[in-house]
Amino acid sequence: MEIPSNNLKIITMTKAPIIKPNWTIALGIPLLIFLACFIITLTAKFKANSALYSNAILIDLLVVAPLVYFLAIRKSKVSKLSVSRIFIVGLLVAGFILNTHENIVLSNIKMWVSPIVEVVVIFFIFQKFYVANKRAKATHGGQLDFLMHCRAVMFQITGNEKAGNIISSEIAVLYYALLGRGSKTIDNETKFTGYKEIGILSVLWVFLFIFLIETTGVHFLLSAWNRTFAWVITALSFYTCIQLFAHIKAIKARPILINTNSLEIHNGLAGDAFIQFDNIEKFELSKKMPVGRNPFKIALIKGFENHNVVVYLKNPIEVTKFFGIKKSTDTVLFHVDKAKEFANALTLKLDTRESSNQN
């Protein structure tokens, strides 16, 4: 029996294109509004009628600017809740250019609306983390890499990968510094460490103590000249020490993983690489630097962290460095403890993968 052609329904599955917002409009116009409002407050006409013009400026800062941003991002993947960022910035600008005590509307907004917005944003972030945690644990069997998980969540919240990576890097610093613990499930079959045999932790601890000593000395030296500047430099230096401390703890907490279909390489907060088995041309245990390639060593201090594994790729990938900075490479270099066990485990996975593809 022949089926009429007009009864046949051919369904073509196509991936919907990701619509990106016009950031020039989304951020540029609100910025121009903020700048224009600031310039208006400097004029003599505004000073003569500040009560009247203040309310008009508030409407521009707290309504018009967020509305323009919303219209620019409404059809994109950017979270609609990100409009609150423009509102908060507008509120800060209003507090800076207007007299809060003279403007009852601004005073009430600061007292009532601003805390509500902040609570909603915080609740939304925690809710995103909670939902993502449940999904990740269900997918990975309870195993969860906090930094990668945080990057995914912050990307959903900010709608911008670079901004999400920077924010998640700062969150990860505090997380690993305060809560980071070494992985207790190293089996040298699917999970491997990469720091024990080269003694990099001892080197990093030495650097950390040197930074602390120098920070103290520089603080007293600068205090004799300018106390404010001394405290600023001390705070920045101390935060650098916290970052280094977090990296030390993250090295222990983030092992190298051989997954079902991919190789996952971590080195604390210094770098990450995710390599699909299908993209591996070959790998070798070697301490030599590849010639004629574009190699990238996953290490914080490359001169002190020698590699012993070189992975050659069929197609370049992007590895992630500090603060989520991306770098393209076709050859990944890193150090792994128990290198022979690692090579055997990875070879077995690649051979199994190749056999299944042939069948």
Side-chain angles (χ1 to χ4, degrees):
M1 179 179 179
E2 186 177 354
I3 302 175
S5 60
N6 57 355
N7 290 335
L8 292 177
K9 293 183 180 180
I10 302 174
I11 301 175
T12 305
M13 301 299 293
T14 58
K15 187 177 180 181
I18 298 176
I19 302 175
K20 295 184 178 180
N22 188 326
W23 289 111
T24 303
I25 296 176
L27 299 178
I29 294 181
L31 182 61
L32 287 176
I33 292 174
F34 297 156
L35 182 61
C37 290
F38 172 69
I39 294 174
I40 290 173
T41 60
L42 301 179
T43 63
K45 195 170 184 179
F46 172 83
K47 294 177 181 178
N49 301 278
S50 60
L52 175 64
Y53 288 111
S54 292
N55 291 332
I57 286 176
L58 277 178
I59 293 174
D60 287 337
L61 294 176
L62 304 183
V63 178
V64 177
L67 181 61
V68 170
Y69 176 83
F70 171 76
L71 294 175
I73 61 98
R74 71 188 188 283
K75 294 183 179 180
S76 70
K77 294 287 186 178
V78 178
S79 172
K80 305 301 183 291
L81 196 65
S82 61
V83 175
S84 62
R85 294 180 296 179
I86 305 299
F87 176 83
I88 292 173
V89 172
L91 190 61
L92 293 174
V93 172
F96 176 73
I97 66 177
L98 300 177
N99 192 327
T100 305
H101 300 291
E102 293 181 358
N103 193 294
I104 300 176
V105 176
L106 178 58
S107 179
N108 288 333
I109 290 175
K110 281 190 172 184
M111 182 177 296
W112 301 105
V113 178
S114 180
I116 293 175
V117 172
E118 292 175 3
V119 169
V120 170
V121 171
I122 293 172
F123 172 79
F124 178 77
I125 292 174
F126 274 103
Q127 188 264 346
K128 282 284 188 181
F129 269 103
Y130 177 75
V131 173
N133 270 335
K134 292 184 66 176
R135 290 177 180 173
K137 288 182 179 179
T139 304
H140 300 284
Q143 301 174 5
L144 189 66
D145 183 88
F146 178 82
L147 179 54
M148 304 312 302
H149 173 53
C150 188
R151 284 174 182 163
V153 173
M154 295 311 300
F155 172 69
Q156 292 181 17
I157 295 172
T158 62
N160 183 278
E161 184 180 12
K162 291 182 179 180
N165 286 344
I166 293 173
I167 296 172
S168 58
S169 296
E170 299 301 328
I171 294 174
V173 167
L174 298 177
Y175 172 83
Y176 286 109
L178 300 175
L179 303 174
R181 296 179 181 178
S183 178
K184 297 181 180 179
T185 57
I186 302 299
D187 54 14
N188 292 321
E189 293 179 358
T190 59
K191 291 186 178 182
F192 297 83
T193 58
Y195 61 89
K196 294 181 178 179
E197 294 180 357
I198 57 176
I200 186 60
L201 293 186
S202 299
V203 175
L204 294 177
W205 278 113
V206 170
F207 275 111
L208 179 58
F209 284 120
I210 290 175
F211 286 155
L212 288 172
I213 294 172
E214 286 189 349
T215 297
T216 304
V218 170
H219 173 77
F220 286 110
L221 183 64
L222 293 176
S223 293
W225 173 61
N226 189 304
R227 290 179 61 85
T228 302
F229 182 72
W231 279 111
V232 170
I233 297 299
T234 300
L236 293 175
S237 299
F238 183 69
Y239 185 67
T240 301
C241 294
I242 294 177
Q243 288 179 316
L244 184 55
F245 177 67
H247 173 64
I248 292 173
K249 298 189 70 175
I251 288 176
K252 296 182 178 181
R254 310 182 71 210
I256 298 168
L257 304 175
I258 299 179
N259 299 318
T260 304
N261 300 311
S262 63
L263 174 62
E264 194 171 320
I265 308 165
H266 302 294
N267 187 328
L269 303 179
D272 307 292
F274 298 87
I275 306 173
Q276 296 293 326
F277 289 155
D278 292 339
N279 195 30
I280 296 179
E281 179 182 328
K282 66 175 182 177
F283 80 94
E284 61 184 9
L285 301 181
S286 173
K287 296 183 179 180
K288 296 181 180 180
M289 186 65 67
V291 179
R293 308 280 293 195
N294 179 29
F296 180 80
K297 183 188 291 187
I298 301 180
L300 178 64
I301 309 175
K302 293 179 172 58
F304 288 92
E305 300 179 58
N306 296 323
H307 66 275
N308 61 355
V309 180
V310 181
V311 180
Y312 298 87
L313 306 177
K314 298 176 184 177
N315 301 304
I317 64 168
E318 285 190 330
V319 296
T320 307
K321 303 191 292 182
F322 248 120
F323 301 111
I325 299 172
K326 303 283 187 177
K327 180 175 176 61
S328 179
T329 181
D330 60 7
T331 310
V332 180
L333 288 63
F334 62 97
H335 184 274
V336 63
D337 300 327
K338 306 291 183 181
K340 291 184 179 180
E341 287 85 343
F342 172 82
N344 293 335
L346 183 55
T347 300
L348 179 62
K349 285 285 187 179
L350 293 176
D351 290 344
T352 303
R353 178 75 174 176
E354 185 176 354
S355 298
S356 63
N357 289 338
Q358 291 175 353
N359 295 333

